[in-house]
Amino acid sequence: MTSPVSTSATPAQAIVIMGVSGSGKTETSLGVARRLGFRHIEADHFHSAENVVRMQAGTPLTDTDRIEWLDRLRLEMQKAVQDGTGFVLSCSALRRSYRDRLRDAVPGLRFAHLSVDYETALQRVGERADHYMPTSLVKSQFDTLESPKGEPGVLWVDASKACEAVVEEVCAWMHAPIPSSEMAALIGLASKMPDAPSPRKEPPLTSEPIYNNRMAQRFDTLTDSLMAVLMAFMVGAVFVNVVLRYAFGSGWAGAEELSRLAFVWLIFVGVASSMRRGELMCFTLIRDKFPRIAHRLIDSVSALLIATGSGLSAWGAWYQMQFGWQNASPVVGYPLAIAMLPVLVSMIALAMLALVQLINTWRTERAVPPALANVTAD
Ligand SMILES: Nc1ncnc2c1ncn2[C@@H]1O[C@H](COP(=O)(O)OP(=O)(O)O)[C@@H](O)[C@H]1O
Ligand SMILES: O=C(O)[C@H](O)[C@@H](O)[C@H](O)[C@H](O)COP(=O)(O)O
């Protein structure tokens, strides 16, 4: 499996392993990436939560559903190019237009099409336990697939054979130069597409930030710093504990208790931080089925429900805190109320942010954000 490929030339740096679901893209991509020392990019991880829900429910994606997904993949590929690492992207890329969109981001991009028949794909998807893709969608994958035959820079692989043989074939092809006429066509294809997105530093948000002003910046600085300190503390405590155990035969039990406490704090600081950035909760799946005129009302109900739920949680945390002052943790002996304090603070922050969101709903003429996610949580 790990033997080097026979040719010695430097391999091409960028390839998409494409094909219908169950053709073996992920497995092949991982194998090729390992063999060539490239980065493996898994396109499945770049679908919005809403796309995943659709597929899980047996609804095939449309061209519109796939646009933002493809654009995220373009940015990810460009990041790899900027980092100077070769990459293997595992992505269905079923239609010609999708492939051209990807080619446009990375000139010279190659594609290896894993070709399988319907029965093979169905069987492989059926046997895979840990994936959202239902077997009922395999047929639609074949219906959507536009053959890449005749496109420049494409390898056609019979993917019914063993995965190792598929990986071998792809790696060997990556070492072979593309004929110059084909390469010219490839570059030509890339330059036809207008407005390629430039790589952004920030990942796309699931919805709009709740507020954006200097106070927001201070809030972000505070929460980011707190999270960094908590994370550093957890890593440090666990590391010291491991060293103590190995070097002196016994660790410090307090380290475990304190890193658990830091973990609780980290989660709740993270919750408040991601809520502000618009990345925590965003209920749009049902809202978007209604006419635009009803959106404000539905958004208001959502914000009120979030504020009420968070308020109730804060109230509960407050009761727990009162009880926790009299109880000490078993090892270090800190008052257990300290473990409930982040719940109280973060739930108050969530309730307040939801109220700000409610006010924003009525105050501003908002551009409707793309319906990326139903509910997402960091
Ligand atoms: N060449 C192959 N022969 C037999 N089974 C394979 C092969 N390639 C992949 N599989 C298996 O088929 C299933 C689907 O493969 P996966 O790589 O997830 O496909 P895709 O990413 O195209 O949906 C997995 O269980 C995988 O182990
Ligand atoms: O464009 C699409 O319809 C999807 O991207 C689809 O092609 C993809 O296959 C699924 O995300 C399942 O993932 P696997 O291909 O890994 O099964």
Side-chain angles (χ1 to χ4, degrees), residues 19-23 25-26 42-44 47 55 60-61 66 69 90-94 98 125 128 131-133 137 140-141 144:
V20 294
S21 187
S23 55
K25 299 182 295 290
T26 302
E42 179 53 67
D44 286 357
H47 277 299
M55 288 188 270
L61 300 181
R66 291 183 181 114
W69 171 62
S90 162
C91 169
S92 50
L94 297 174
Y98 308 161
V125 171
R128 195 172 50 179
H131 202 286
Y132 54 77
M133 193 73 170
L137 277 187
S140 75
Q141 292 267 299
T144 310

mmCIF file of all heavy atoms in Angstrom, residues 19-23 25-26 42-44 47 55 60-61 66 69 90-94 98 125 128 131-133 137 140-141 144, ligand 2:
data_model
loop_
_atom_site.group_PDB
_atom_site.id
_atom_site.type_symbol
_atom_site.label_atom_id
_atom_site.label_comp_id
_atom_site.label_asym_id
_atom_site.label_seq_id
_atom_site.Cartn_x
_atom_site.Cartn_y
_atom_site.Cartn_z
ATOM 1 N N GLY A 19 -16.865 11.505 -8.703
ATOM 2 C CA GLY A 19 -17.717 10.355 -9.017
ATOM 3 C C GLY A 19 -18.951 10.353 -8.140
ATOM 4 O O GLY A 19 -19.065 11.148 -7.195
ATOM 5 N N VAL A 20 -19.828 9.444 -8.429
ATOM 6 C CA VAL A 20 -21.080 9.375 -7.653
ATOM 7 C C VAL A 20 -20.786 8.893 -6.235
ATOM 8 O O VAL A 20 -19.700 8.372 -5.969
ATOM 9 C CB VAL A 20 -22.080 8.394 -8.321
ATOM 10 C CG1 VAL A 20 -22.544 8.899 -9.663
ATOM 11 C CG2 VAL A 20 -21.461 7.008 -8.431
ATOM 12 N N SER A 21 -21.762 9.053 -5.383
ATOM 13 C CA SER A 21 -21.629 8.573 -4.008
ATOM 14 C C SER A 21 -21.412 7.052 -4.041
ATOM 15 O O SER A 21 -22.070 6.346 -4.800
ATOM 16 C CB SER A 21 -22.923 8.910 -3.262
ATOM 17 O OG SER A 21 -22.785 8.625 -1.920
ATOM 18 N N GLY A 22 -20.448 6.597 -3.257
ATOM 19 C CA GLY A 22 -20.166 5.161 -3.215
ATOM 20 C C GLY A 22 -19.136 4.715 -4.237
ATOM 21 O O GLY A 22 -18.768 3.539 -4.267
ATOM 22 N N SER A 23 -18.638 5.630 -5.049
ATOM 23 C CA SER A 23 -17.646 5.216 -6.055
ATOM 24 C C SER A 23 -16.285 4.980 -5.406
ATOM 25 O O SER A 23 -15.396 4.404 -6.020
ATOM 26 C CB SER A 23 -17.543 6.259 -7.171
ATOM 27 O OG SER A 23 -17.251 7.527 -6.637
ATOM 28 N N LYS A 25 -14.557 7.666 -3.583
ATOM 29 C CA LYS A 25 -13.774 8.923 -3.623
ATOM 30 C C LYS A 25 -12.956 9.130 -2.354
ATOM 31 O O LYS A 25 -11.764 9.406 -2.410
ATOM 32 C CB LYS A 25 -14.708 10.149 -3.797
ATOM 33 C CG LYS A 25 -15.517 10.147 -5.043
ATOM 34 C CD LYS A 25 -16.343 11.392 -5.146
ATOM 35 C CE LYS A 25 -17.416 11.522 -4.070
ATOM 36 N NZ LYS A 25 -18.520 10.565 -4.199
ATOM 37 N N THR A 26 -13.639 9.017 -1.199
ATOM 38 C CA THR A 26 -12.960 9.317 0.065
ATOM 39 C C THR A 26 -11.786 8.379 0.281
ATOM 40 O O THR A 26 -10.666 8.809 0.579
ATOM 41 C CB THR A 26 -13.958 9.205 1.233
ATOM 42 O OG1 THR A 26 -15.012 10.114 0.975
ATOM 43 C CG2 THR A 26 -13.311 9.536 2.560
ATOM 44 N N GLU A 42 -11.911 16.903 2.184
ATOM 45 C CA GLU A 42 -13.146 16.105 2.073
ATOM 46 C C GLU A 42 -14.311 17.053 1.798
ATOM 47 O O GLU A 42 -14.738 17.795 2.682
ATOM 48 C CB GLU A 42 -13.355 15.338 3.392
ATOM 49 C CG GLU A 42 -14.613 14.493 3.424
ATOM 50 C CD GLU A 42 -14.713 13.539 2.246
ATOM 51 O OE1 GLU A 42 -13.904 12.619 2.156
ATOM 52 O OE2 GLU A 42 -15.605 13.734 1.393
ATOM 53 N N ALA A 43 -14.832 16.998 0.592
ATOM 54 C CA ALA A 43 -15.913 17.930 0.227
ATOM 55 C C ALA A 43 -17.162 17.745 1.084
ATOM 56 O O ALA A 43 -17.896 18.702 1.328
ATOM 57 C CB ALA A 43 -16.264 17.764 -1.250
ATOM 58 N N ASP A 44 -17.392 16.516 1.565
ATOM 59 C CA ASP A 44 -18.573 16.280 2.411
ATOM 60 C C ASP A 44 -18.594 17.217 3.610
ATOM 61 O O ASP A 44 -19.658 17.571 4.114
ATOM 62 C CB ASP A 44 -18.560 14.842 2.957
ATOM 63 C CG ASP A 44 -18.923 13.834 1.895
ATOM 64 O OD1 ASP A 44 -19.241 14.245 0.773
ATOM 65 O OD2 ASP A 44 -18.872 12.622 2.195
ATOM 66 N N HIS A 47 -20.369 20.898 3.136
ATOM 67 C CA HIS A 47 -21.797 21.127 2.889
ATOM 68 C C HIS A 47 -22.387 21.904 4.058
ATOM 69 O O HIS A 47 -21.975 21.704 5.211
ATOM 70 C CB HIS A 47 -22.548 19.796 2.774
ATOM 71 C CG HIS A 47 -22.481 19.183 1.413
ATOM 72 N ND1 HIS A 47 -22.965 19.801 0.288
ATOM 73 C CD2 HIS A 47 -21.971 17.996 0.980
ATOM 74 C CE1 HIS A 47 -22.783 19.025 -0.769
ATOM 75 N NE2 HIS A 47 -22.161 17.935 -0.376
ATOM 76 N N MET A 55 -30.082 15.953 2.217
ATOM 77 C CA MET A 55 -29.643 14.642 1.719
ATOM 78 C C MET A 55 -30.104 13.527 2.658
ATOM 79 O O MET A 55 -30.578 12.497 2.208
ATOM 80 C CB MET A 55 -28.123 14.626 1.531
ATOM 81 C CG MET A 55 -27.678 15.450 0.335
ATOM 82 S SD MET A 55 -25.932 15.258 -0.040
ATOM 83 C CE MET A 55 -25.191 16.526 0.936
ATOM 84 N N PRO A 60 -32.507 15.107 -3.282
ATOM 85 C CA PRO A 60 -31.264 15.420 -3.993
ATOM 86 C C PRO A 60 -30.992 16.920 -3.974
ATOM 87 O O PRO A 60 -31.924 17.739 -3.962
ATOM 88 C CB PRO A 60 -31.533 14.961 -5.431
ATOM 89 C CG PRO A 60 -32.790 14.166 -5.387
ATOM 90 C CD PRO A 60 -33.538 14.553 -4.157
ATOM 91 N N LEU A 61 -29.738 17.296 -3.974
ATOM 92 C CA LEU A 61 -29.387 18.718 -4.001
ATOM 93 C C LEU A 61 -29.644 19.279 -5.387
ATOM 94 O O LEU A 61 -29.592 18.560 -6.385
ATOM 95 C CB LEU A 61 -27.901 18.897 -3.643
ATOM 96 C CG LEU A 61 -27.456 18.396 -2.280
ATOM 97 C CD1 LEU A 61 -25.969 18.680 -2.072
ATOM 98 C CD2 LEU A 61 -28.275 19.028 -1.168
ATOM 99 N N ARG A 66 -25.788 23.711 -4.432
ATOM 100 C CA ARG A 66 -24.373 23.340 -4.512
ATOM 101 C C ARG A 66 -23.439 24.525 -4.719
ATOM 102 O O ARG A 66 -22.226 24.379 -4.569
ATOM 103 C CB ARG A 66 -24.166 22.339 -5.644
ATOM 104 C CG ARG A 66 -24.782 20.980 -5.355
ATOM 105 C CD ARG A 66 -24.482 20.003 -6.456
ATOM 106 N NE ARG A 66 -25.073 18.698 -6.213
ATOM 107 C CZ ARG A 66 -26.038 18.155 -6.959
ATOM 108 N NH1 ARG A 66 -26.526 18.820 -7.984
ATOM 109 N NH2 ARG A 66 -26.497 16.960 -6.672
ATOM 110 N N TRP A 69 -21.417 25.631 -1.606
ATOM 111 C CA TRP A 69 -20.549 24.493 -1.276
ATOM 112 C C TRP A 69 -19.325 24.512 -2.199
ATOM 113 O O TRP A 69 -18.182 24.430 -1.733
ATOM 114 C CB TRP A 69 -21.369 23.218 -1.449
ATOM 115 C CG TRP A 69 -20.650 21.923 -1.372
ATOM 116 C CD1 TRP A 69 -19.967 21.432 -0.305
ATOM 117 C CD2 TRP A 69 -20.559 20.930 -2.396
ATOM 118 N NE1 TRP A 69 -19.462 20.191 -0.606
ATOM 119 C CE2 TRP A 69 -19.812 19.853 -1.882
ATOM 120 C CE3 TRP A 69 -21.047 20.828 -3.699
ATOM 121 C CZ2 TRP A 69 -19.536 18.702 -2.621
ATOM 122 C CZ3 TRP A 69 -20.778 19.686 -4.422
ATOM 123 C CH2 TRP A 69 -20.029 18.643 -3.891
ATOM 124 N N SER A 90 -11.667 15.209 -2.445
ATOM 125 C CA SER A 90 -12.664 14.166 -2.691
ATOM 126 C C SER A 90 -14.013 14.852 -2.858
ATOM 127 O O SER A 90 -14.580 15.352 -1.887
ATOM 128 C CB SER A 90 -12.677 13.217 -1.486
ATOM 129 O OG SER A 90 -13.861 12.471 -1.492
ATOM 130 N N CYS A 91 -14.504 14.902 -4.083
ATOM 131 C CA CYS A 91 -15.719 15.690 -4.353
ATOM 132 C C CYS A 91 -16.473 15.093 -5.540
ATOM 133 O O CYS A 91 -15.865 14.805 -6.572
ATOM 134 C CB CYS A 91 -15.295 17.124 -4.669
ATOM 135 S SG CYS A 91 -16.617 18.144 -5.321
ATOM 136 N N SER A 92 -17.784 14.946 -5.379
ATOM 137 C CA SER A 92 -18.579 14.310 -6.442
ATOM 138 C C SER A 92 -18.443 15.039 -7.789
ATOM 139 O O SER A 92 -18.316 14.398 -8.822
ATOM 140 C CB SER A 92 -20.043 14.246 -6.011
ATOM 141 O OG SER A 92 -20.472 15.503 -5.557
ATOM 142 N N ALA A 93 -18.466 16.380 -7.791
ATOM 143 C CA ALA A 93 -18.297 17.205 -9.009
ATOM 144 C C ALA A 93 -19.051 16.602 -10.195
ATOM 145 O O ALA A 93 -18.481 16.382 -11.268
ATOM 146 C CB ALA A 93 -16.806 17.354 -9.314
ATOM 147 N N LEU A 94 -20.337 16.377 -9.986
ATOM 148 C CA LEU A 94 -21.094 15.573 -10.943
ATOM 149 C C LEU A 94 -21.315 16.253 -12.299
ATOM 150 O O LEU A 94 -21.309 15.615 -13.334
ATOM 151 C CB LEU A 94 -22.448 15.203 -10.324
ATOM 152 C CG LEU A 94 -22.371 14.335 -9.058
ATOM 153 C CD1 LEU A 94 -23.751 14.156 -8.434
ATOM 154 C CD2 LEU A 94 -21.764 12.970 -9.349
ATOM 155 N N TYR A 98 -19.947 22.314 -12.499
ATOM 156 C CA TYR A 98 -19.302 22.276 -11.178
ATOM 157 C C TYR A 98 -17.787 22.115 -11.345
ATOM 158 O O TYR A 98 -16.992 22.739 -10.648
ATOM 159 C CB TYR A 98 -19.800 21.115 -10.314
ATOM 160 C CG TYR A 98 -21.295 20.991 -10.154
ATOM 161 C CD1 TYR A 98 -21.871 19.782 -9.743
ATOM 162 C CD2 TYR A 98 -22.152 22.055 -10.409
ATOM 163 C CE1 TYR A 98 -23.229 19.647 -9.595
ATOM 164 C CE2 TYR A 98 -23.513 21.915 -10.262
ATOM 165 C CZ TYR A 98 -24.048 20.713 -9.864
ATOM 166 O OH TYR A 98 -25.401 20.565 -9.716
ATOM 167 N N VAL A 125 -22.694 2.167 -0.691
ATOM 168 C CA VAL A 125 -23.362 3.170 0.167
ATOM 169 C C VAL A 125 -24.167 2.453 1.253
ATOM 170 O O VAL A 125 -24.185 2.874 2.410
ATOM 171 C CB VAL A 125 -24.263 4.108 -0.683
ATOM 172 C CG1 VAL A 125 -25.114 5.002 0.199
ATOM 173 C CG2 VAL A 125 -23.412 4.954 -1.620
ATOM 174 N N ARG A 128 -21.986 1.256 4.128
ATOM 175 C CA ARG A 128 -21.295 2.278 4.919
ATOM 176 C C ARG A 128 -22.214 2.716 6.056
ATOM 177 O O ARG A 128 -23.311 3.196 5.813
ATOM 178 C CB ARG A 128 -20.997 3.455 3.982
ATOM 179 C CG ARG A 128 -20.026 4.431 4.464
ATOM 180 C CD ARG A 128 -19.672 5.418 3.379
ATOM 181 N NE ARG A 128 -20.836 6.013 2.733
ATOM 182 C CZ ARG A 128 -20.758 6.924 1.766
ATOM 183 N NH1 ARG A 128 -19.599 7.314 1.310
ATOM 184 N NH2 ARG A 128 -21.848 7.437 1.242
ATOM 185 N N HIS A 131 -22.457 7.376 7.664
ATOM 186 C CA HIS A 131 -22.553 8.475 6.686
ATOM 187 C C HIS A 131 -23.999 8.896 6.509
ATOM 188 O O HIS A 131 -24.903 8.075 6.622
ATOM 189 C CB HIS A 131 -21.971 8.008 5.362
ATOM 190 C CG HIS A 131 -21.527 9.122 4.471
ATOM 191 N ND1 HIS A 131 -22.413 9.920 3.786
ATOM 192 C CD2 HIS A 131 -20.299 9.587 4.178
ATOM 193 C CE1 HIS A 131 -21.740 10.824 3.095
ATOM 194 N NE2 HIS A 131 -20.447 10.650 3.327
ATOM 195 N N TYR A 132 -24.198 10.206 6.230
ATOM 196 C CA TYR A 132 -25.571 10.703 6.109
ATOM 197 C C TYR A 132 -26.263 10.321 4.804
ATOM 198 O O TYR A 132 -27.469 10.424 4.672
ATOM 199 C CB TYR A 132 -25.596 12.229 6.254
ATOM 200 C CG TYR A 132 -24.669 12.958 5.297
ATOM 201 C CD1 TYR A 132 -25.009 13.127 3.963
ATOM 202 C CD2 TYR A 132 -23.458 13.467 5.741
ATOM 203 C CE1 TYR A 132 -24.159 13.786 3.099
ATOM 204 C CE2 TYR A 132 -22.602 14.125 4.871
ATOM 205 C CZ TYR A 132 -22.956 14.281 3.556
ATOM 206 O OH TYR A 132 -22.116 14.938 2.689
ATOM 207 N N MET A 133 -25.495 9.908 3.820
ATOM 208 C CA MET A 133 -26.066 9.699 2.478
ATOM 209 C C MET A 133 -26.912 8.420 2.434
ATOM 210 O O MET A 133 -26.407 7.315 2.646
ATOM 211 C CB MET A 133 -24.906 9.604 1.491
ATOM 212 C CG MET A 133 -25.318 9.708 0.058
ATOM 213 S SD MET A 133 -25.776 11.401 -0.318
ATOM 214 C CE MET A 133 -25.922 11.283 -2.095
ATOM 215 N N LEU A 137 -30.646 7.944 -2.582
ATOM 216 C CA LEU A 137 -30.154 9.057 -3.419
ATOM 217 C C LEU A 137 -29.156 8.609 -4.487
ATOM 218 O O LEU A 137 -28.748 9.408 -5.318
ATOM 219 C CB LEU A 137 -29.497 10.125 -2.537
ATOM 220 C CG LEU A 137 -30.448 11.128 -1.893
ATOM 221 C CD1 LEU A 137 -29.664 12.217 -1.191
ATOM 222 C CD2 LEU A 137 -31.370 11.749 -2.933
ATOM 223 N N SER A 140 -30.263 9.246 -8.061
ATOM 224 C CA SER A 140 -30.218 10.653 -8.502
ATOM 225 C C SER A 140 -28.775 11.096 -8.793
ATOM 226 O O SER A 140 -28.540 11.979 -9.623
ATOM 227 C CB SER A 140 -30.843 11.577 -7.450
ATOM 228 O OG SER A 140 -29.961 11.722 -6.367
ATOM 229 N N GLN A 141 -27.818 10.468 -8.131
ATOM 230 C CA GLN A 141 -26.409 10.799 -8.399
ATOM 231 C C GLN A 141 -26.059 10.418 -9.843
ATOM 232 O O GLN A 141 -25.397 11.162 -10.552
ATOM 233 C CB GLN A 141 -25.505 10.036 -7.428
ATOM 234 C CG GLN A 141 -25.640 10.494 -5.984
ATOM 235 C CD GLN A 141 -24.620 11.567 -5.637
ATOM 236 O OE1 GLN A 141 -23.436 11.345 -5.709
ATOM 237 N NE2 GLN A 141 -25.107 12.738 -5.283
ATOM 238 N N THR A 144 -27.718 12.805 -12.250
ATOM 239 C CA THR A 144 -27.084 14.131 -12.320
ATOM 240 C C THR A 144 -25.731 14.081 -13.017
ATOM 241 O O THR A 144 -25.317 15.053 -13.658
ATOM 242 C CB THR A 144 -26.887 14.697 -10.881
ATOM 243 O OG1 THR A 144 -28.119 14.587 -10.182
ATOM 244 C CG2 THR A 144 -26.454 16.141 -10.902
HETATM 245 O O1 LIG B 2 -23.386 17.098 -4.960
HETATM 246 C C1 LIG B 2 -23.954 16.254 -4.273
HETATM 247 O O2 LIG B 2 -25.086 15.779 -4.512
HETATM 248 C C2 LIG B 2 -23.261 15.727 -3.044
HETATM 249 O O3 LIG B 2 -22.012 16.286 -2.867
HETATM 250 C C3 LIG B 2 -23.096 14.303 -3.246
HETATM 251 O O4 LIG B 2 -22.588 14.153 -4.542
HETATM 252 C C4 LIG B 2 -22.173 13.643 -2.309
HETATM 253 O O5 LIG B 2 -21.968 12.430 -2.887
HETATM 254 C C5 LIG B 2 -22.733 13.556 -0.934
HETATM 255 O O6 LIG B 2 -22.242 14.619 -0.201
HETATM 256 C C6 LIG B 2 -22.440 12.253 -0.248
HETATM 257 O O7 LIG B 2 -21.095 12.071 -0.015
HETATM 258 P P1 LIG B 2 -20.257 10.865 -0.651
HETATM 259 O O8 LIG B 2 -20.106 11.149 -2.119
HETATM 260 O O9 LIG B 2 -18.952 10.903 0.080
HETATM 261 O O10 LIG B 2 -21.034 9.623 -0.436
#
